[in-house]
Amino acid sequence: MTSSRLIGREPELAELEAALADAGAQRPSLAFVAGESGVGKSRLLAELERRARQAGARVIGGDCVELGDGELPYAPIVAALRPLARAGDPVLDELGPAGRAELARLLPELGAPASDTLDDRSGSAQARLFEALLGLLDRLGRDVPVVLSIEDIHWADSSTRAFVAFLARSLCRERVLVVATYRPDELHRRHPLRPLLAELERGARARRIELPALTRPELTAALDDILGAAADAALVERLWARSEGNPLFAEELLAAGLDGRGDLPPTLRDALMVRIERLSDTAQELLRLLAAGQRLDHALLAEVSGLDARALREALREAVSGHILVADAEDRYAFRHALLREVLHDDLLPGEHAELHLALARALEKRAGHDGAGAHLAAGIAHHYFAAGDQPAAFAASSRAAAAAEHVQAHGEAAALWERCLALWERVPDPEALAGADRVEVLVRAAAAHDLRGNAARVEVLLREALSRVVAGTDPHRTAFLLARMARAQHSLGRDEEAMQTGERGLALLPAGDVSRERAQLLAWRAKVLMLQSRYSEAIPAAHDAVAVARAAGTAAEESRALNAAGVSLMAIGEREAGRAMLVEALELARAGGGVHELESAHINLADSLHLAGQSAEALEIAGAGWDELAARERVCDWLVLLRAEIAIDIGRWDEAHRTLPAPETRFVGSTRTNVELRRGELALLEGDDASARAHLDMARESARDSTEPQVHGPLGALTAELERRAGDLDAARAAILASFERLDLRGEDLMRIARVAATGAAVEADAAQRARDLGDDQAEAEAIARAEGMVRRVRESAVGERPVERAQLARAEAELARAHGEDDPRRWAATALAWEAAGRPYFAAAARGSEAEALVAAGDRDAAAARA
């Protein structure tokens, strides 16, 4: 009842083949095929896969399972990779021990999985898994393109959605085509796929292919092919009118024995039920079991159905020959079309529904007892017990499935499963025994899973409930631990003052002289936040307190973090040797046992602090060494990449910066995206590509909307002001300066960024004063000069001590002030150029020589001006 060839999909297939050709040319693509149920998405995908294989491409894929968000983690990814593992594909051996250990989380047949990293707040454990998957795709596509198909992504679990988003921003030159199908009518207003698709389908590498219904001529051709002869015109007309060109509906109407005369089933679902009801009672019972189980192997069907071997074979053969069931590559039975399963599952009576799901849960639990329950099996058991309404069993199974999901870094699924446990807590006897933890611990684990997904708002809600269940006076350390987590969540939400107050509450609960890990965590966190806010005079004593407690408690990670915060702060206030020593100590401690996150942070902050102090060559060397050290641990650090690019930009190695920056099509999120766009915008501005600079700075501004960190708003304000100054919009340039100062907080401690913004502000006001003189507006000139003088005062206050970069900014600001007064002085510009050369910033030295040449022209000394130019 299906046409032998694909009909009416030539344009859509051509677009998919073009995407495959792009992938073969190292231009990876994502294609999203959208269409209503039965319109032919799977048929189109199957034809693409057939042609891709004929062309020599590798094809892997899987489909998403409708268990509900939060249960079966990475279902289509596991289905795509399992055949490779079972076949012992040699490409898996190229991943190395670390890569195989990461993938073993999903595919136990690969060996021992990587160790758990539940407390890794940065989400780096999931990132390592995603990097391993990306590395595998890269190797699979080394010689030929690889197609990764994901069917029914509207049912995708949270972790699969996260991986697709990761691929969208991380694929660069891999020979990879990702094709995902979905039903738009399934995407209700709050569906989690909606915002993801809205973002991904706008990407430069993404294609959205909407599959329409067949036209009347196309449906006629399909019916001719099915019948083997020209279809009767009346039959075509009736099927066209009823199916409205939906090929599955037309096929099912035909399969039900309808000849175009008489009554037709009113809906596609009814037409599908006609097909099922024509089978024997035994086959229908077996289909009901499969409707509950979705994909079941022969052994499980035999156990749960209770049929003898012959009856089971006959029922399966009847359903397969009736084109209702198919066997997949893993010898499991499933419905030919998802809608067939949906129709039958929805038709189950309440008692049937509970009985079938309970039988499946018990059979799967028995299997888990023999083989051990991985994340997929544990999730299936939890789902079937919950669907059966057995709340105690569902509670216990959900807690086990949540722990299994944590192990495979499926944070969204773990969060949903822990939340289910919380919802069932009051409905089951002795929940603590069933969960193996008290309610506070379950709340904390749910919050940790949400935290790793970046859902800080939900983290705060869960931790508030946990705090309400802990008596601070009787358990101060546990309360302090919860408050530390709460403070981090509030900081992520941009509520810095509230976060600091929450942290202080935690510290106040702990007794005097306490040397616990909780106290070290709170003190190190406070020091880091103060440092990030450029409140260095407060950060330094806070960091010293944290170091002392961390050493007494023997917590290397907290000690490294505290030393890091102290080192950055000391270097920022000019105490370079002391600060450098602490940063080096933080680095050594991280190497010895502080953890990879601390190692990454120590490399970044040591190199960055040296660069800001004018020691850029050494900073670049340290950043490169850090990259090599982390790469040896199979850790990819975007911030080290961006720091190397930033240093290369500042020291004039722009070709190197272009090579170092991520490819333009690579996408990022959060603070990393802000940093990427700042670097791209700065390089474009320096190279004179103002249009690109504006686009990148606009994206950085949007991304940094909730940030309170001066390291973002200082550069963003200065670069935006310079861009607007070039465009001649001095009001917009001045607004950028003022907005930046509002975010810098003007505590007077972030001297480098204050100097940069104020020196740029002086240039803006010098332009304004010159314009006012040109227009004969004495009042506007005086106001611009006054503002320029204020800017210079701020730079002067920042350029104290041995600060080569800030002193160069001061030289520039004083030269701009002279220009504001109408006394453009070439000697001041010459001094500025020398100061920038001493700081190792050749572009700004060249810009100062250009200004010196202009001043010499104005003074009538054209020969000297030519030499400077």
Side-chain angles (χ1 to χ4, degrees), residues 8 39 74 123 135 175 183 231 311 324 359 363 393 425 485 513 554 556 573 603 658 745 755 772 777 822:
V39 80
Y74 304 110
R175 292 184 171 89
R183 301 184 202 166
I324 292 173
W425 195 273
R485 291 289 184 95
I573 65 172
H603 274 298
H658 277 296
D745 202 17
D777 190 338

Side-chain angles (χ1 to χ4, degrees), residues 553 671 757 790:
S671 58
V757 174

Side-chain angles (χ1 to χ4, degrees), residues 413-697:
E413 291 69 29
L417 287 159
W418 286 126
E419 294 259 23
R420 178 189 290 172
C421 291
L422 293 168
L424 294 173
W425 195 273
E426 303 290 351
R427 305 178 191 176
V428 300
D430 199 5
E432 290 191 11
L434 290 173
D438 65 11
R439 191 164 188 169
V440 171
E441 176 62 21
V442 172
L443 284 161
V444 169
R445 293 182 78 167
H450 280 295
D451 192 13
L452 288 163
R453 292 186 69 201
N455 188 359
R458 186 60 184 161
V459 172
E460 184 180 20
V461 170
L462 292 167
L463 291 176
R464 283 194 188 282
E465 185 178 347
L467 282 164
S468 72
R469 297 177 180 279
V470 175
V471 180
T474 59
D475 199 346
H477 286 90
R478 194 176 202 187
T479 308
F481 167 80
L482 293 172
L483 288 168
R485 291 289 184 95
M486 172 86 81
R488 293 192 308 209
Q490 291 168 339
H491 179 65
S492 297
L493 292 167
R495 289 154 37 203
D496 291 352
E497 290 306 317
E498 186 179 358
M500 292 294 284
Q501 292 169 9
T502 300
E504 295 303 322
R505 281 172 53 204
L507 287 169
L509 289 172
L510 300 173
D514 177 77
V515 291
S516 63
R517 180 174 186 177
E518 290 80 8
R519 187 180 189 87
Q521 286 176 333
L522 282 163
L523 288 171
W525 178 82
R526 180 172 68 178
K528 179 181 178 180
V529 173
L530 290 169
M531 179 268 288
L532 288 173
Q533 293 179 341
S534 301
R535 295 161 64 177
Y536 303 126
S537 60
E538 297 174 71
I540 292 167
H544 284 309
D545 291 345
V547 169
V549 174
R551 284 175 178 167
T555 57
E558 282 70 27
E559 184 181 353
S560 178
R561 290 176 205 157
L563 286 166
N564 201 324
V568 171
S569 301
L570 285 166
M571 290 198 73
I573 65 172
E575 296 187 27
R576 292 187 188 173
E577 293 307 315
R580 180 190 178 117
M582 284 201 163
L583 284 166
V584 170
E585 188 177 354
L587 180 58
E588 292 171 350
L589 193 60
R591 281 198 186 107
V596 69
H597 184 64
E598 284 70 37
L599 183 63
E600 179 182 297
S601 180
H603 274 298
I604 291 169
N605 285 343
L606 176 57
D608 188 45
S609 295
L610 289 170
H611 174 57
L612 296 177
Q615 297 170 256
S616 301
E618 185 180 3
L620 196 59
E621 183 179 334
I622 289 170
W627 170 263
D628 292 340
E629 187 171 351
L630 288 162
R633 301 190 182 203
E634 300 200 15
R635 170 81 167 201
V636 175
C637 178
D638 294 324
W639 280 72
L640 260 178
V641 172
L642 295 171
L643 178 58
R644 293 170 72 185
E646 180 182 359
I647 296 171
I649 290 169
D650 284 346
I651 64 177
R653 299 181 188 175
W654 294 352
D655 288 344
E656 182 178 334
H658 277 296
R659 290 193 301 270
T660 304
L661 279 171
E665 62 268 24
T666 309
R667 306 184 70 177
F668 298 91
V669 295
S671 58
T672 305
R673 180 192 177 199
T674 304
N675 196 355
V676 169
E677 298 302 343
L678 278 175
R679 301 288 76 80
R680 289 174 176 164
E682 183 172 23
L683 188 54
L685 188 69
L686 294 175
E687 292 184 329
D689 187 351
D690 292 356
S692 294
R694 185 174 297 279
H696 290 305
L697 294 178

Side-chain angles (χ1 to χ4, degrees), residues 106 118 233 236 260 325 347 372 375 488 566 613 632-633 685 688 747 834:
L106 306 183
L118 178 62
V236 172
L325 294 185
D347 195 54
R488 293 192 308 209
R633 301 190 182 203
L685 188 69
R747 281 189 170 88
L834 291 173

Side-chain angles (χ1 to χ4, degrees), residues 200-275:
L200 298 187
E201 288 182 341
R202 290 197 304 267
R205 292 196 304 260
R207 302 165 188 255
R208 185 179 192 273
I209 301 170
E210 190 149 6
L211 213 56
L214 295 178
T215 64
R216 189 192 304 261
E218 289 167 349
L219 180 61
T220 302
L223 292 172
D224 291 348
D225 187 285
I226 293 170
L227 297 172
D232 179 78
L235 174 64
V236 172
E237 185 61 32
R238 288 180 182 275
L239 292 182
W240 164 255
R242 192 68 196 99
S243 70
E244 297 181 338
N246 183 295
L248 178 65
F249 198 179
E251 290 169 8
E252 292 302 320
L253 291 171
L254 201 60
L258 300 173
D259 58 3
R261 302 182 183 88
D263 293 334
L264 297 174
T267 67
L268 173 57
R269 289 176 178 268
D270 290 338
L272 292 168
M273 282 304 295
V274 168
R275 172 84 75 95

Side-chain angles (χ1 to χ4, degrees), residues 235-316:
L235 174 64
V236 172
E237 185 61 32
R238 288 180 182 275
L239 292 182
W240 164 255
R242 192 68 196 99
S243 70
E244 297 181 338
N246 183 295
L248 178 65
F249 198 179
E251 290 169 8
E252 292 302 320
L253 291 171
L254 201 60
L258 300 173
D259 58 3
R261 302 182 183 88
D263 293 334
L264 297 174
T267 67
L268 173 57
R269 289 176 178 268
D270 290 338
L272 292 168
M273 282 304 295
V274 168
R275 172 84 75 95
I276 293 168
E277 288 167 354
R278 294 175 64 185
L279 301 178
S280 68
D281 290 344
T282 302
Q284 288 188 49
E285 283 298 316
L286 193 66
L287 290 179
R288 291 186 182 96
L289 175 59
L290 263 164
Q294 301 203 38
R295 287 182 180 273
L296 301 177
D297 59 43
H298 194 95
L300 201 59
L301 281 171
E303 179 179 353
V304 179
S305 70
L307 295 172
D308 61 47
R310 180 175 179 178
L312 178 60
R313 285 198 307 271
E314 289 178 352
L316 284 170

